[in-house]
Amino acid sequence: MNNKDAIACLAALAHEQRLAIFRLLVKEGPSGLPAGEIADAVDATPTGASFHLKELDRAGLIHATRVGRYIRYSVHFDRMRQLLTFLTEDCCQGNPELCGSTIKKARKVCTGEAK
Amino acid sequence: MNNKDAIACLAALAHEQRLAIFRLLVKEGPSGLPAGEIADAVDATPTGASFHLKELDRAGLIHATRVGRYIRYSVHFDRMRQLLTFLTEDCCQGNPELCGSTIKKARKVCTGEAK
DNA sequence: GCAATAATACAAGAGTTATTGAATTATGCA
DNA sequence: TGCATAATTCAATAACTCTTGTATTATTGC
């Protein structure tokens, strides 16, 4: 994950309906939900939901799979973890105790790093 | 942290210079840096840096302290943790093994929750 | 008080992103 | 084939955000 990727992710999430969609899909897990159900859940028009889903997809945060006449969307969890890692990278110059908690440990857990 | 707060944080971070500023300050830790040094580090004009610092401040992600004629900015680490928590909340309906890693654990560590 | 430095505030124009409605594509089923 | 459903694409307008330059505020030291 580089700066540009992270900005794309953050911009994608920085919108009321897109954030609601993302959190809905985070809760839902890998099986995801079809576009129509997502639109209903966040009170979006089909057109609006489609636009926002495309934005999240462009950022790499979700991905689409056609299942019959439905298109199911689910979170791209690797990408999500990469983003969280990026935001907490090198926290407090490697001294997590400085910020009063353990963001660095969190990062390790998020990413599965053993470092 | 509610939806509006999270959107403010994400929008604040979704900008090249602001993200660079934020990451610089995350690395720097609680002591922070003065505005001028930040502006130099991210190649911003004084006016531009001021605008972007204000945006990050408005989102609650950093805060300002005047020290003599300098204004030092540092990360508001609690707010940062709240944001990471918000994004990973109720991941996979509480079954972190579903997403192939341990985002839920990460969240506990981020937030210091014992739950 | 005055000059210099650090930083912010304001205003205007440019650029980008969001919303809306109508039209289009893809699939399933009778 | 023909119709209904699921979802996307396109085009136009509206709304927002960023950038730039100038002016202003706050602080230090002579």
Side-chain angles (χ1 to χ4, degrees):
Chain A
M1 165 113 5
N2 58 33
N3 251 54
K4 274 207 192 326
D5 290 339
I7 290 164
C9 288
L10 292 162
L13 292 171
H15 181 281
E16 171 120 41
Q17 287 182 328
R18 288 197 297 265
L19 183 57
I21 289 171
F22 180 77
R23 299 220 311 149
L24 175 66
L25 292 178
V26 165
K27 288 196 185 75
E28 198 59 30
S31 57
L33 290 171
E37 211 165 310
I38 295 170
D40 287 348
V42 305
D43 259 315
T45 60
T47 298
S50 186
F51 173 78
H52 294 308
L53 286 165
K54 195 182 61 190
E55 288 297 300
L56 286 165
D57 185 50
R58 230 164 34 103
L61 285 167
I62 65 175
H63 80 280
T65 321
R66 185 176 276 278
V67 179
R69 76 175 102 175
Y70 299 87
I71 297 180
R72 292 189 80 91
Y73 286 91
S74 54
V75 170
H76 185 180
F77 284 98
D78 265 352
R79 183 74 161 178
M80 175 181 177
R81 273 191 293 277
Q82 285 164 22
L83 178 62
L84 300 182
T85 297
F86 189 79
L87 291 176
T88 56
E89 216 160 52
D90 300 324
C91 179
C92 299
Q93 307 170 73
N95 302 292
E97 66 280 8
L98 286 183
C99 60
S101 187
T102 46
I103 286 195
K104 192 164 186 198
K105 275 190 204 160
R107 179 187 157 221
K108 286 184 188 166
V109 179
C110 288
T111 57
E113 278 178 36
K115 143 175 162 185
Chain B
M1 165 115 1
N2 58 33
N3 250 55
K4 275 207 191 325
D5 290 339
I7 290 164
C9 289
L10 293 163
L13 293 171
H15 180 280
E16 172 121 41
Q17 287 182 328
R18 287 197 298 264
L19 183 57
I21 290 172
F22 180 78
R23 299 219 311 148
L24 175 66
L25 293 178
V26 165
K27 288 196 185 74
E28 197 58 31
S31 56
L33 290 171
E37 213 165 309
I38 294 170
D40 287 349
V42 306
D43 260 313
T45 61
T47 298
S50 185
F51 172 79
H52 294 309
L53 287 165
K54 196 182 60 188
E55 288 297 300
L56 287 164
D57 186 49
R58 229 165 34 101
L61 285 167
I62 65 176
H63 80 282
T65 320
R66 185 176 275 278
V67 179
R69 76 176 103 176
Y70 299 88
I71 297 180
R72 292 189 80 90
Y73 286 91
S74 55
V75 169
H76 185 181
F77 285 98
D78 266 351
R79 183 75 160 179
M80 175 181 176
R81 275 191 291 278
Q82 285 164 22
L83 177 62
L84 300 182
T85 299
F86 189 80
L87 291 176
T88 54
E89 215 158 56
D90 301 324
C91 178
C92 300
Q93 307 171 74
N95 303 290
E97 66 279 7
L98 285 183
C99 58
S101 186
T102 46
I103 285 194
K104 193 169 186 191
K105 274 189 206 162
R107 179 186 158 222
K108 286 182 188 168
V109 179
C110 289
T111 57
E113 280 177 35
K115 140 176 163 186

